[in-house]
Amino acid sequence: MATLSGLIRALHRGSLGQSTVVDRVFSGIQPTGTPHLGNYLGAIQNWVNLQEECSSVLYSIMDMHSITVPKEPAVLRQNVLDTAAAILACGIDPKKCLLFQQSLMKRASQNNEGTAGLLTYPVLQAADILLYKSTRVPVGEDQVLHLELAQDIAQRFNKKYGEFFPVPKAILSTTNKIKSLRDPTVKMSKSDPQKLATVSIADSPEEIVLKFRKAVTDCTSEVTFDPAGRPGVSNLVCIHAAVAGLSVGEALRQALGLDTARYKALVAEAVIHRLAPIRSEIKRLRQDRSHLLQVLADGAARAKELAAPTYQEVRRLVGFQ
């Protein structure tokens, strides 16, 4: 930690050169409990890869964002721990990145619990991105406009006060968006009222088999890839390719000679195989509440150390101190 502290102070004091910019990845996830298959394939899997490729990576469980939709406090606290357990089980390593709970970064002097600032989601998101001087942000397509707000704020601040914030760039997932198993025209979502529509990464093999067997396809038995004309079957192909590490073409070759019913079984088996170790690790981590709390607390302490110089320098630049 002493080495990290020295590096942070040197960067913000400029002793490593005024133009020095740390390549820093920042992203967050709302604590809705255990993520679903789309979350894992579209975001968390990419997070795991990024922690191996980048030297400075921060991942936040965005509990302050989540209260834009009212939640019972006990439910929110449990969701934070369940989300942390799932992220760790998917391969996020606190030794390679900072994993922390967003609200633990809140200043102790701020005792108000529900301000308009928390409800202006894009502004809160921009503040999180800029606070750590993030250079790259993994986002979904629906979050690109939010990131553009962070970029605009950084550019306006730099124009007025001098070059200070890096202008963050988006990292878009290369995985095809995973759709609902019951309505393949919309994305998979935990809020879907149809229980068979969404696969949780903690689902049992029996649950996964049932959900894929009931997946909506069409009247054609051959497996082809045509997202516009055959969204249900094409969604199965996307899932198969993603969980098995295949291209769409390779997934289709494995489907040769299979009708959609047998292909559903093949895809279900591939999903079960991919999620089995994750499901087992989630179960183990959920039983160790103290470990989860310690991981989040340690991550928050290290994130505060990164954020504090930025916060103080912004106050100085704008004339607050």
Side-chain angles (χ1 to χ4, degrees):
M1 290 300 297
T3 301
L4 176 61
S5 302
L7 176 59
I8 294 168
R9 286 193 293 270
L11 285 171
H12 286 274
R13 289 173 181 168
S15 62
L16 295 184
Q18 293 295 326
S19 62
T20 300
V21 175
V22 175
D23 181 21
R24 177 165 296 136
V25 172
F26 174 86
S27 195
I29 186 171
Q30 290 209 30
T32 56
T34 304
H36 59 66
L37 185 63
N39 298 143
Y40 171 61
L41 296 175
I44 301 174
Q45 183 176 244
N46 191 34
W47 284 16
V48 174
N49 295 334
L50 286 169
Q51 74 178 2
E52 301 295 336
E53 300 168 3
C54 306
S55 59
S56 183
V57 181
L58 292 85
Y59 297 135
S60 178
I61 298 176
M62 314 299 270
D63 53 341
M64 294 177 76
H65 285 205
S66 72
I67 63 170
T68 57
V69 177
K71 291 180 176 63
E72 290 296 324
V75 172
L76 177 59
R77 285 191 288 269
Q78 187 59 51
N79 280 352
V80 167
L81 294 182
D82 287 347
T83 302
I87 291 171
L88 293 170
C90 288
I92 293 300
D93 185 348
K95 295 178 181 178
K96 298 177 180 178
C97 66
L98 304 189
L99 175 63
F100 63 97
Q101 183 178 340
Q102 182 189 34
S103 63
L104 295 182
M105 296 295 296
K106 190 178 182 189
R107 290 169 57 84
S109 61
Q110 295 175 331
N111 295 319
N112 52 308
E113 290 298 331
T115 68
L118 295 182
L119 302 179
T120 52
Y121 185 103
V123 176
L124 180 59
Q125 185 180 61
D128 283 313
I129 292 168
L130 298 178
L131 181 62
Y132 305 103
K133 288 194 167 182
S134 310
T135 58
R136 294 190 288 159
V137 184
V139 292
E141 292 179 0
D142 56 344
Q143 294 288 310
V144 170
L145 288 177
H146 290 183
L147 181 60
E148 288 179 359
L149 175 62
Q151 294 168 337
D152 185 56
I153 292 173
Q155 290 167 340
R156 288 172 178 266
F157 188 94
N158 292 346
K159 184 177 181 179
K160 185 173 180 63
Y161 298 106
E163 292 298 319
F164 182 73
F165 287 116
V167 178
K169 297 179 180 179
I171 303 175
L172 293 174
S173 173
T174 57
T175 301
N176 288 312
K177 186 171 291 186
I178 304 303
K179 303 297 184 68
S180 162
L181 295 183
R182 298 300 297 166
D183 180 2
T185 64
V186 299
K187 68 179 182 179
M188 186 174 285
S189 171
K190 288 193 70 174
S191 62
D192 196 313
Q194 298 189 70
K195 293 183 178 180
L196 297 179
T198 302
V199 176
S200 166
I201 63 172
D203 275 350
S204 69
E206 293 76 18
E207 289 171 317
I208 292 171
V209 167
L210 175 62
K211 289 177 179 180
F212 277 98
R213 188 168 70 242
K214 296 290 186 178
V216 170
T217 51
D218 52 42
C219 297
T220 303
S221 63
E222 182 185 5
V223 177
T224 61
F225 188 71
D226 177 7
R230 304 188 69 197
V233 175
S234 299
N235 188 39
L236 295 178
V237 174
C238 288
I239 293 172
H240 180 202
V243 299
L246 305 171
S247 67
V248 167
E250 290 169 334
L252 288 173
R253 283 192 285 275
Q254 289 195 9
L256 284 174
L258 300 179
D259 59 22
T260 53
R262 286 191 292 166
Y263 186 60
K264 288 178 181 180
L266 184 152
V267 177
E269 187 58 38
V271 171
I272 291 168
H273 179 75
R274 180 64 175 268
L275 297 183
I278 294 174
R279 180 169 176 263
S280 177
E281 184 65 0
I282 288 174
K283 183 178 180 180
R284 185 189 72 80
L285 287 167
R286 281 178 174 172
Q287 297 172 349
D288 195 349
R289 181 185 179 90
S290 61
H291 172 68
L292 296 175
L293 291 171
Q294 190 62 55
V295 167
L296 295 176
D298 289 347
R302 294 164 64 197
K304 284 180 181 179
E305 193 169 3
L306 281 175
T310 303
Y311 176 75
Q312 294 301 329
E313 184 64 7
V314 167
R315 287 178 58 84
R316 187 191 69 80
L317 287 170
V318 302
F320 290 163
Q321 63 183 40

